[in-house]
Amino acid sequence: MPLTLTLAATLLAPTAAATPETFDERSAAASTERGDRRSTTTPTLVARATLSADVLADGPPSGALATPANGRQGPFPGQVVPGFSGMVDAGDGTFWALPDNGFGTKANSADFLLRVYRVTPQWQTADGGPGALELGEHLSLSDPHRHVDFPIVNDATPDRLLTGADFDVESIVRAPDGTFWIGEEFGPFVLHVDSGGALLAPPVPLPDAKSPQNPYLAPGETARLRASNGFEALAGSPDGKYLYPITEGAFVDDPDQRRRTVYQLDTRTGEYTGRTWAYQTDRAANVVGDAFMTSRHELLVVERDNFDGPASVTKRVYGIDLRHRERDGYLEKTLVLDALKIANPDGIGAGDGYGTGDPFAFPVQSFETVVRLADGRLLIANDNNYPGNAARVPGTPDDTEVALVELRRARPEQPGEITVVGHRGASGYRPEHTLAAYETAILQCADYIEPDLVSTKDGVLVARHENEIGGTTDVATRPEFADRRVTKTIDGAAITGWFTEDFTLAELRTLRAKERIPATRPANTAFDGLYEIPTLDEVLDLARRSTTCDGQPVGVYPETKHPTYFDSIGLSLEEPLVAELKAARLDGRRAPVIVQSFETGNLRELDRMTGVRLAQLVNCSGAPYDLVAAGDPRTYADLVTRTGLREIARYADGVGLCKDVMIPRDTDGTLGQPTRVIDDAHRAGLVVHGWTFRAENQFLPADLRSSADPAAYGDLASEIRAFVDAGMDGLFSDHPDLAVAAVG
């Protein structure tokens, strides 16, 4: 049976209909008779407007203590407008826009006045336009009625204008009566102000947590929230009765640092109702940047990382329904928009820096605004952390950007006949086995992403090509782990270095990935030191919350590394792998999962344990180590005889073949003639995937190299086409974009 997926992708985004549908209704509407494929959406940029990072609004100088960056240093002769952390549709083509506390901390933002600006986009669209954001009137947040009972900067003045040293305002909701509710982070508090910006009541504190900046934090009391982890996101129910603030970060004492808490606050009483929900981020360091309620139960949630520019991994809008939880109790998440890949067929904003082509990306650090307009389009915007962010043009402060994205529904293209697997992610472009590499592979239209699996000391499966991590992490620079450098025998070979099984997951989390072959891929070294080692759980979550370019679920192709060795030290890989797949609901025969191994025994074991498809890996030389350890004389060459392939078909669905097994190279290094292995595998009922296809000359046949430079790109497309012409069904590639282009 073919390994290529034929499952239908669910509809992942709101339509552009004026009457909003629920996520369930959309899924039902998109579904057709069994066997038919569902519709998908293509997020498409339709309008954009920007406000210069250096624009100053009227008012006293600001930024005297701001951290200098990108050639800018305060004080600035007016009020800086450091991007927008929240926006509200005013319904007349204008928007109310809320900057945050100014310059990032209490200590440096006392001269920044908290305001809500009225802005008017002069959109750039397919028909042209200036693409400018007009800054209009503003509301000054203030406390003239003395609802705040702790000292504020302007305590002694009649207006008591609020500053960035008093509150860190981050999110805004407009009530039906024209007043505003604002979420902030120093408390965290929820503030209620009138239509002119004056506080109507004392700040509403979160009952079960304080941040380190909370003015009521008692001496010796431990803050349960880290600094700036309060209410970055605040959504309001359409009827105005409830607010839903969401913690930006995890509680310090929470054993699951991926958990974020959704609260419910009754606007009629100004008190929390006691109802909460748990939202799980894709990784622990990710934050919830904004939220917008689209119905009584459904919210759009911005989830982002703290990277910007090419380093960005997560800039997403997910849909959640408060009625729907997964088995583990977390809210189900449905991808609505990956802001790192927005179609831009009209070239809107092209030439404005990194990510402004087609596709258009929103790779800003602080993606902190999402608003769904009445016509179904999504407005997204950024806080530019002036003057610190420079995602678009290095060395130049980011402008404030506001973009309109239309979610265009269409029938997806038929999946390609040739399966493309992102080998260790898109390892030609990002350090291998990082979420950045996997996300890049997804953006480049890979059908599957491939995590190699090894175990930690405490039995957690993580993604590393080998259990020795000296070459793929910065562990060698960490003096606290110097004594863990040892020599071990792995699959009969003596290896010296640092090994995952000698580290707990918590210890591994302190390490950062680096490029494994820096001489070959020097561009990847720009990302050294940025990314953590991901767990299998995180990789599965990324895949199941993503879609391929043809609207299918992203597949996962995990490889169990050294299973005999790990069995010998009491850290069996099979049981935790099967448990993780089951927890992610990826354990059925039709699940987009293929498990692979160079050994045979653990695949036979997995065949009895799980319904997912299996693939026997075959190297160009040598023998499966489990056979070697058992004294079995069979080699990989024996496995690819007709008899051997028929035996593999008893427990596996496919084979992953070293390229030379399919088409060996001649003595001069050029590509030779195909062997009979592919045909024999097909006769045995096995699908054939080949590895590994890389673009650099040193990995290519001599006749397909572009020059003598081993790191320069050669003719990868011709190599791939030769193997496809020989009958290969799929391939592993470090360069998924080039592989997808080659196979059409």
Side-chain angles (χ1 to χ4, degrees):
M1 61 180 291
L3 294 177
T4 302
L5 285 173
T6 57
L7 295 178
T10 55
L11 181 63
L12 296 181
T15 68
T19 302
E21 302 170 281
T22 67
F23 298 133
D24 285 345
E25 289 170 340
R26 285 192 299 276
S27 293
S31 300
T32 54
E33 295 298 319
R34 179 173 295 184
D36 289 347
R37 304 184 70 242
R38 298 178 179 178
S39 62
T40 187
T41 56
T42 300
T44 304
L45 184 68
V46 295
R48 180 174 180 258
T50 64
L51 179 70
S52 170
D54 294 319
V55 73
L56 294 173
D58 63 288
S62 62
L65 300 179
T67 302
N70 295 310
R72 310 300 195 271
Q73 182 170 4
F76 307 101
Q79 288 290 298
V80 168
V81 184
F84 301 133
S85 289
M87 295 180 70
V88 171
D89 186 358
D92 59 358
T94 69
F95 297 85
W96 291 106
L98 176 76
D100 62 11
N101 86 310
F103 303 104
T105 71
K106 273 180 172 282
N108 66 10
S109 299
D111 57 6
F112 183 83
L113 298 175
L114 302 184
R115 294 173 170 178
V116 184
Y117 289 94
R118 193 148 194 164
V119 298
T120 304
Q122 303 293 334
W123 299 111
Q124 179 190 2
T125 68
D127 297 324
L133 198 61
E134 287 186 2
L135 201 63
E137 64 177 308
H138 68 260
L139 311 177
S140 292
L141 302 188
S142 62
D143 183 33
H145 307 299
R146 295 189 171 271
H147 289 298
V148 178
D149 63 359
F150 53 82
I152 62 174
V153 171
N154 293 316
D155 216 345
T157 66
D159 293 335
R160 288 170 56 86
L161 296 179
L162 299 176
T163 75
D166 305 320
F167 295 101
D168 184 5
V169 293
E170 295 285 359
S171 44
I172 185 168
V173 170
R174 195 179 190 191
D177 63 2
T179 62
F180 295 95
W181 292 90
I182 295 172
E184 81 85 55
E185 294 202 300
F186 286 163
F189 298 113
V190 174
L191 311 178
H192 191 197
V193 303
D194 65 20
S195 59
L199 275 173
L200 290 168
V204 182
L206 182 61
D208 56 0
K210 296 185 180 75
S211 84
Q213 300 100 334
N214 189 300
Y216 304 117
L217 193 69
E221 182 181 2
T222 300
R224 288 194 68 212
L225 280 169
R226 296 176 179 87
S228 298
N229 272 200
F231 294 145
E232 188 81 42
L234 177 71
S237 62
D239 60 11
K241 292 181 179 179
Y242 296 103
L243 298 173
Y244 294 88
I246 308 175
T247 55
E248 181 180 23
F251 293 124
V252 174
D253 55 359
D254 193 331
D256 184 357
Q257 288 294 294
R258 293 170 64 191
R259 190 194 322 270
R260 309 293 180 262
T261 304
V262 183
Y263 290 88
Q264 185 184 64
L265 189 148
D266 190 326
T267 61
R268 294 158 293 184
T269 64
E271 296 179 349
Y272 287 92
T273 66
R275 297 192 69 188
T276 61
W277 296 261
Y279 173 97
Q280 189 179 51
T281 54
D282 292 346
R283 54 188 288 268
N286 285 0
V287 301
V288 173
D290 196 20
F292 184 90
M293 202 145 199
T294 59
S295 73
R296 287 182 58 197
H297 305 286
E298 296 179 311
L299 294 87
L300 301 174
V301 175
V302 171
E303 183 177 330
R304 65 169 178 83
D305 55 29
N306 274 313
F307 301 121
D308 64 6
S312 296
V313 179
T314 307
K315 310 292 180 187
R316 292 186 165 202
V317 177
Y318 284 113
I320 60 173
D321 188 318
L322 299 178
R323 298 167 297 183
H324 296 162
R325 293 179 172 88
E326 297 186 327
R327 292 177 182 175
D328 55 9
Y330 288 104
L331 291 164
E332 290 183 356
K333 294 165 58 174
T334 302
L335 182 64
V336 173
L337 168 68
D338 188 332
L340 295 180
K341 190 173 185 180
I342 301 171
N344 187 19
D346 300 310
I348 296 170
D352 281 358
Y354 176 80
T356 56
D358 184 16
F360 179 89
F362 203 55
V364 293
Q365 178 190 19
S366 295
F367 170 22
E368 292 186 358
T369 295
V370 64
V371 177
R372 193 172 79 168
L373 306 184
D375 61 6
R377 293 181 298 176
L378 300 185
L379 177 147
I380 60 177
N382 67 305
D383 169 7
N384 64 17
N385 297 309
Y386 186 83
N389 292 164
R392 295 292 191 198
V393 181
T396 301
D398 282 333
D399 291 338
T400 301
E401 296 186 45
V402 180
L404 291 185
V405 178
E406 184 174 278
L407 302 170
R408 295 179 176 173
R409 180 179 289 179
R411 297 285 290 183
E413 298 293 328
Q414 287 291 332
E417 294 182 359
I418 306 301
T419 299
V420 174
V421 184
H423 183 242
R424 310 176 196 173
S427 52
Y429 304 101
R430 299 292 185 274
E432 65 187 33
H433 291 310
T434 60
L435 291 183
Y438 299 133
E439 166 71 358
T440 302
I442 293 169
L443 295 177
Q444 292 184 351
C445 300
D447 300 301
Y448 285 77
I449 54 177
E450 183 214 25
D452 294 337
L453 301 180
V454 294
S455 181
T456 67
K457 184 177 183 178
D458 42 354
V460 180
L461 298 184
V462 295
R464 288 289 89 188
H465 177 54
E466 294 290 343
N467 54 328
E468 198 290 305
I469 55 174
T472 60
T473 74
D474 60 0
V475 66
T477 68
R478 302 296 185 92
E480 66 271 29
F481 298 130
D483 61 350
R484 302 206 193 170
R485 186 173 187 267
V486 296
T487 298
K488 297 188 178 189
T489 300
I490 310 295
D491 292 1
I495 299 173
T496 300
W498 292 262
F499 297 84
T500 59
E501 64 268 24
D502 295 331
F503 293 77
T504 65
L505 177 62
E507 290 172 327
L508 279 181
R509 288 295 205 192
T510 68
L511 304 178
R512 292 296 179 267
K514 68 175 186 178
E515 173 55 38
R516 181 177 60 87
I517 46 175
T520 302
R521 293 171 178 166
N524 284 9
T525 63
F527 307 101
D528 285 357
L530 296 182
Y531 306 125
E532 298 167 332
I533 297 174
T535 63
L536 173 61
D537 180 41
E538 290 170 337
V539 178
L540 294 176
D541 282 351
L542 174 67
R544 69 192 181 96
R545 292 164 180 162
S546 303
T547 54
T548 66
C549 295
D550 54 25
Q552 299 293 303
V554 171
V556 184
Y557 212 132
E559 178 188 343
T560 56
K561 302 292 293 190
H562 311 299
T564 294
Y565 167 76
F566 276 106
D567 276 345
S568 74
I569 60 172
L571 290 171
S572 176
L573 304 178
E574 292 77 28
E575 291 80 6
L577 170 57
V578 171
E580 292 279 16
L581 293 174
K582 182 176 181 180
R585 299 186 181 183
L586 292 172
D587 55 338
R589 185 70 184 175
R590 298 185 67 194
V593 174
I594 305 169
V595 177
Q596 56 180 330
S597 178
F598 278 103
E599 296 189 14
T600 65
N602 75 313
L603 287 178
R604 294 176 188 274
E605 182 181 355
L606 284 165
D607 187 40
R608 298 187 294 270
M609 297 172 65
T610 180
V612 302
R613 290 158 295 169
L614 307 176
Q616 176 67 62
L617 292 174
V618 175
N619 212 333
C620 290
S621 60
Y625 186 71
D626 62 314
L627 299 185
V628 173
D632 189 319
R634 286 178 295 167
T635 66
Y636 285 117
D638 295 315
L639 295 189
V640 293
T641 63
R642 288 182 176 179
T643 300
L645 290 167
R646 286 195 295 269
E647 179 62 25
I648 289 173
R650 297 171 66 89
Y651 61 85
D653 305 274
V655 286
L657 303 180
C658 170
K659 290 187 297 184
D660 288 357
V661 172
M662 296 180 283
I663 306 180
R665 297 184 186 183
D666 290 335
T667 55
D668 62 356
T670 61
L671 200 59
Q673 294 299 309
T675 68
R676 53 186 266 182
V677 168
I678 295 176
D679 288 341
D680 288 346
H682 286 162
R683 290 191 185 97
L686 296 167
V687 168
V688 177
H689 291 170
W691 56 271
T692 299
F693 291 84
R694 299 176 167 109
E696 293 91 356
N697 283 323
Q698 64 185 285
F699 302 115
L700 289 167
D703 49 331
L704 298 179
R705 296 170 187 166
S706 61
S707 69
D709 181 355
Y713 282 12
D715 190 0
L716 175 62
S718 291
E719 183 190 35
I720 290 173
R721 284 193 289 267
F723 281 81
V724 170
D725 290 345
M728 182 180 68
D729 304 299
L731 67 143
F732 294 79
S733 180
D734 291 6
H735 304 84
D737 56 338
L738 302 180
V740 169
V743 301

